[in-house]
Amino acid sequence: MTAEKTIFKKIIDREIPATIVYEDDRCLAFEDINPVAPTHVVVIPKKEIVSVDDLSEEDEALVGHLFVVMRKIAAELHLESGYRVVTNCGRDAGQEVMHLHFHLLGGRGFRWPPG
Ligand code: 5GP
């Protein structure tokens, strides 16, 4: 039996719609359906990795690529005054979608420490 696809895999496979802001052969970035900031983009690898906890050495270049892509998206979206990159890993962090993703948040100030 095949495991159920995550919602993000369905977005990659164009089975459900999303507002895509960037795509290349290794990753996809789209607007979050429930934004918590004026800019809220979700950046994901096309490779199915559950979370940071599931990364291996072979993923080092991929993760580096995701960060360079986020820097380019932030520039494109004029987040010159700053932005936050967040990844939730596991239950305590509130991870809901079991496909590695980075939240690129901007357009307002953010507190520290986070909630
Ligand atoms: P997590 O809590 O796992 O770090 O974040 C999952 C994120 O995915 C949430 O911010 C949620 O709003 C977003 N999300 C969940 N389902 C969908 C969807 O179907 N489309 C889009 N664009 N975002 C989604």
Side-chain angles (χ1 to χ4, degrees):
M1 203 173 95
T2 349
E4 174 78 16
K5 280 186 187 182
T6 68
I7 202 93
F8 290 174
K9 178 63 176 158
K10 289 179 182 172
I11 290 174
I12 293 169
D13 292 344
R14 301 301 201 271
E15 289 172 12
I16 63 164
T19 304
I20 291 169
V21 300
Y22 177 88
E23 179 169 23
D24 64 27
D25 58 327
R26 285 182 282 172
C27 71
L28 188 65
F30 50 88
E31 291 177 3
D32 196 289
I33 204 166
N34 185 24
V36 299
T39 296
H40 187 166
V41 173
V42 178
V43 182
I44 65 173
K46 290 185 174 175
K47 180 178 177 183
E48 289 187 272
I49 300 169
V50 173
S51 74
V52 170
D53 211 35
D54 297 274
L55 288 169
S56 67
E57 280 70 15
E58 72 175 27
D59 301 314
E60 286 176 358
L62 174 61
V63 174
H65 178 65
L66 294 174
F67 273 84
V68 172
V69 164
M70 286 191 278
R71 190 260 294 161
K72 290 178 180 170
I73 295 171
E76 185 84 18
L77 298 178
H78 303 290
L79 300 179
E80 287 89 3
S81 61
Y83 53 90
R84 183 170 285 183
V85 173
V86 174
T87 187
N88 295 316
C89 178
R91 192 177 54 238
D92 278 1
Q95 182 178 4
E96 288 174 0
V97 181
M98 296 301 144
H99 183 119
L100 177 68
H101 54 282
F102 295 92
H103 300 261
L104 174 60
L105 304 164
R108 67 170 172 86
F110 299 98
R111 297 209 182 117
W112 194 263

